[in-house]
């Protein structure tokens, strides 16, 4: 649609209308020039005055005749232009009237399907061809159903998904009964998009170099992106990899692009060892526990919680409680935030947002931090009394975590995901001795179902869930009696593999050689 020219009502002339006007004006001008040159004969040839005297020159018309002819030409030109403009005004008015009789239509759609499966907060933005009246959330439907919020203003309607989306899925978005500002006919605004297949990163250790691979969920299209002699751990964001490697019995922390390019090193608090590596995508932060390489009974720092910007533009910051450095037993970034929740060796549970000014907020005492739910700011905590509770980290309120049905006993690990949770439970005999492990899914109403069972000769090292809760990844170490540990700073059994399971169907997908899938918030702690 052209923005120059003028039209009837509130709709500008199209390029076709403007071109027609210019062509009509050109024809009128050409006709006027032809009149100036002579009158066209009936046979279509110009009629030229001929002298009866072969040697005489053509006679010049009288001055009055020239003026009359010019005035006639001007009148005809004006008549033609007025007729063309009248037609265009009529057409523009008809188009304007037609637009008033139609509801709004979609002019543009913005969506990033790849980002939508990796993190919460992705959006579909529908832009209409005219300003819209207020849109209520009840007018919006998303299929398959996922929770969302809306933000509508002017010509745009933004639908923000509060959880990540499933991969390989076609999503339809519809805004019913959209109406132009000021009233008029309504219409539905609808669009659809398909999310891509999931890809993840996986770490393989070997007797030679350790390697981080990017892979599909079949494991058949793995691509090596980074290798080093000794890789302890890594985490992935939407744009970066953060890798903890070791040299001379000390850690180095590297940041690079997801394809392994652009490698640079982050400064550490000293010459020491990094563990429990995690990242906050929303805060653009990396966090870890740090211990000096040289520790004695009277010197050295141990298990300090440290955060720093992934950009490398800030120094490491040691988390302090009441102005003092404290050793940290366990911690996690709260998913989709820059906040962190941590448990010190004295059993004090606390929350802090490194990017804010509120400081450390106490949350009582606890024996274990079992997990943190995505999008709800809720932690699963075992209190010192043995009770497992769901703790609201915003106001400190809590409620008992419901028992599973059937009752599988207290969990050793909990991984909440949208619509449920993954729990690791230990099976015991009559005298309390462990005889195996089960990984179970638990619905919000407590209904539980096992998806993986192991005997007493195998063990689960790590349980993780894809961002949307579509898949589970369970890292298993088989043959405990014949599976020696490696010799890294963060040692693990040499034989490990990761089982992928479709949580929507409960069916196994594939078995990948390696561990530490990038869905996991924290690496395995053997």
């Amino acid at each position: 649609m052209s923005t120059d020219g003028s039209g009837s009502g509130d709709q500008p002339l199209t390029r076709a209308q403007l071109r027609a006007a210019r062509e009509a004006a050109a024809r009128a001008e050409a006709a006027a020039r032809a009149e100036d040159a002579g009158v066209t004969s009936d046979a279509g040839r110009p009629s030229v005055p001929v002298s009866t005297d072969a040697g005489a020159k053509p006679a010049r018309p009288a001055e009055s005749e020239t003026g009359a002819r010019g005035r006639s030409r001007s009148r005809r030109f004006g008549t033609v232009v007025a007729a063309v403009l009248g037609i265009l005004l009529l057409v523009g008015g008809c188009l304007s009237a037609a637009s008033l009789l139609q509801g709004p239509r979609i002019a543009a759609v913005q969506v990033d399907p790849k980002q939508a499966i990796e993190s919460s907060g992705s959006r579909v933005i529908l832009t209409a061809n005219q300003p819209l009246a207020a849109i209520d959330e009840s007018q919006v439907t998303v299929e398959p159903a996922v929770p969302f919020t809306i933000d509508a203003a002017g010509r745009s309607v933004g639908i923000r998904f509060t959880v990540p989306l499933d991969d390989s899925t076609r999503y339809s978005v519809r805004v019913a009964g959209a109406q132009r500002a000021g009233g008029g006919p309504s219409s539905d605004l609808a669009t659809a998009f398909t999310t891509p297949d999931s890809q993840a990163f996986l770490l393989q250790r070997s007797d030679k170099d350790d390697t981080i691979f990017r892979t599909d969920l079949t494991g058949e299209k793995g691509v090596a992106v980074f290798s080093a002699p000794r890789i302890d751990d890594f985490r992935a964001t939407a744009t970066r990899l953060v890798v903890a490697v070791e040299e001379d019995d000390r850690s180095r922390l590297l940041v690079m692009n997801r394809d392994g390019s652009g490698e640079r090193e982050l400064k550490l608090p000293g010459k020491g060892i990094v563990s429990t590596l995690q990242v906050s995508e929303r805060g653009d932060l990396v966090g870890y526990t740090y211990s000096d390489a040289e520790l004695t009974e009277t010197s050295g720092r141990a298990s300090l919680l440290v955060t720093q910007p992934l950009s490398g533009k800030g120094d490491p910051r040691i988390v302090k409680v009441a102005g003092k450095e404290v050793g940290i037993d366990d911690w996690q970034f709260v998913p989709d935030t820059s906040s962190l929740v941590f448990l010190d060796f004295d059993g004090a549970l606390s929350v802090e947002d490194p990017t804010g000014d509120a400081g450390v907020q106490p949350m009582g005492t606890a024996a274990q931090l079992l997990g943190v739910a995505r999008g709800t700011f809720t932690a699963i905590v075992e209190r010192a009394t043995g009770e497992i509770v769901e703790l609201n980290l915003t106001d400190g309120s809590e409620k008992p975590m419901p028992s599973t049905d059937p009752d599988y006993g207290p969990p050793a690990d909990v991984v909440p995901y949208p619509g449920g949770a993954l729990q690791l439970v230990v099976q015991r005999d009559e005298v309390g001795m462990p005889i195996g492990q089960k990984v179970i899914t638990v619905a919000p109403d407590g209904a539980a179902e096992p998806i993986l069972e192991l005997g007493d000769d195998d063990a689960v090292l790590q349980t993780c869930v894809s961002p949307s809760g579509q898949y589970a990844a369970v890292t298993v170490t088989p043959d405990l009696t014949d599976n020696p540990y490696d010799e890294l700073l963060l040692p693990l059994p040499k034989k490990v593999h990761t089982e992928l399971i479709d949580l929507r169907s409960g069916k196994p997908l594939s078995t990948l050689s390696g561990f530490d899938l990038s869905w996991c918030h924290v690496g395995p702690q053997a």
Side-chain angles (χ1 to χ4, degrees), residues 115 119-122 160 279-285 335-338:
Q115 191 263 340
S119 60
S120 62
S122 64
R160 178 182 179 273
V279 291
S280 165
E281 180 106 34
R282 195 62 52 86
D284 197 37
L285 295 171
D336 302 324
T337 76
S338 56

Side-chain angles (χ1 to χ4, degrees), residues 3 120 147 177 180 186 247 282 319 360 370 430 454 496:
T3 58
S120 62
R180 66 178 293 166
S186 64
E247 293 180 5
R282 195 62 52 86
V319 175
V360 174
L370 295 173
E430 293 80 2
L454 301 176
V496 294

Side-chain angles (χ1 to χ4, degrees), residues 54 117 135 159 197 222 241 256 261 279 310 383 395 467 482 512 514:
I117 68 173
I135 300 292
I159 296 97
D197 294 341
L241 294 179
M256 63 195 71
S261 64
V279 291
L310 281 169
R383 291 297 192 186
D395 59 15
D482 188 25
L512 306 179

Side-chain angles (χ1 to χ4, degrees), residues 180-230:
R180 66 178 293 166
S186 64
S187 61
D188 292 352
L189 306 178
T191 190
F193 62 94
T194 300
T195 54
D197 294 341
S198 285
Q199 290 200 332
F201 293 89
L202 188 76
L203 174 58
Q204 289 182 357
R205 289 181 178 174
S206 71
D207 293 334
K208 297 181 180 180
D209 282 354
D210 301 336
T211 302
I212 298 171
F213 288 88
R214 183 181 67 249
T215 180
D216 65 348
L217 301 191
T218 68
E220 298 174 356
K221 299 179 181 180
V223 177
V225 296
F226 178 77
S227 296
R230 300 167 77 89

Side-chain angles (χ1 to χ4, degrees), residues 217 472-474 498-502 507-512 517 519:
L217 301 191
V474 183
T498 298
E499 303 279 354
L500 295 184
I501 302 164
D502 187 332
K507 296 180 179 179
L509 290 177
S510 59
T511 299
L512 306 179
L517 206 69
W519 299 337

Side-chain angles (χ1 to χ4, degrees), residues 248-250 271-273 290-295 301:
D248 301 325
D249 296 328
R250 290 174 173 80
K271 295 180 179 180
I273 299 169
Y290 169 84
S291 299
D292 287 329
E294 297 182 3
L295 286 172
R301 299 167 294 176

Side-chain angles (χ1 to χ4, degrees), residues 261-517:
S261 64
E263 179 186 318
R264 53 187 171 80
E265 185 170 358
L266 292 180
K267 180 182 178 181
L268 297 179
K271 295 180 179 180
I273 299 169
V274 166
S275 60
T276 65
L277 183 69
Q278 300 180 47
V279 291
S280 165
E281 180 106 34
R282 195 62 52 86
D284 197 37
L285 295 171
V286 60
Y288 50 87
T289 49
Y290 169 84
S291 299
D292 287 329
E294 297 182 3
L295 286 172
T296 70
E297 293 183 358
T298 58
S299 65
R301 299 167 294 176
S303 300
L304 301 179
L305 180 53
V306 180
T307 64
Q308 63 193 103
L310 281 169
S311 64
K313 295 181 180 179
D315 291 331
R317 185 193 70 93
I318 297 173
V319 175
K320 297 180 180 180
V321 179
K324 297 180 179 180
E325 297 178 356
V326 296
I328 301 301
D329 182 35
D330 196 8
W331 78 280
Q332 281 193 43
F333 274 118
V334 178
D336 302 324
T337 76
S338 56
S339 296
L340 46 91
V341 54
F342 57 92
L343 180 67
D344 67 27
F345 286 109
D346 292 329
L349 187 70
S350 304
V351 176
E352 185 201 34
D353 183 355
T355 65
D357 300 324
V360 174
Q361 304 296 311
M363 289 289 160
T365 59
Q368 285 191 83
L369 175 61
L370 295 173
V372 185
R374 179 186 294 274
T376 64
F377 224 79
T378 301
I380 312 300
V381 174
E382 181 184 347
R383 291 297 192 186
T385 60
E387 182 183 23
I388 297 178
V389 301
E390 298 175 355
L391 174 64
N392 187 321
L393 297 174
T394 60
D395 59 15
S397 62
E398 64 182 60
K399 61 182 180 180
M401 188 180 77
S403 298
T404 61
D405 182 18
D407 190 354
Y408 286 97
D413 187 39
V414 179
V415 183
Y417 59 82
L422 206 64
Q423 293 187 11
L424 172 65
V425 294
V426 178
Q427 297 174 282
R428 301 182 184 275
D429 61 16
E430 293 80 2
V431 296
M433 296 298 294
I435 57 174
Q437 294 175 304
K438 284 187 177 182
V439 179
I440 62 175
T441 61
V442 183
D445 63 0
E449 185 176 352
I451 60 169
L452 184 67
E453 299 185 43
L454 301 176
D456 59 0
D457 197 37
D458 300 336
V460 173
L461 287 181
Q462 187 181 35
T463 54
C464 311
V465 179
S466 65
S468 71
Q470 186 177 8
Y471 306 113
V474 183
T475 300
V476 175
T477 174
D479 306 323
L480 288 174
T481 57
D482 188 25
N483 194 353
Y485 277 65
D486 56 34
E487 298 179 352
L488 273 70
L489 292 173
L490 302 177
L492 290 175
K494 288 188 176 182
K495 291 186 292 184
V496 294
H497 63 261
T498 298
E499 303 279 354
L500 295 184
I501 302 164
D502 187 332
L503 291 179
R504 304 288 189 252
S505 66
K507 296 180 179 179
L509 290 177
S510 59
T511 299
L512 306 179
S513 176
F515 66 98
D516 218 9
L517 206 69

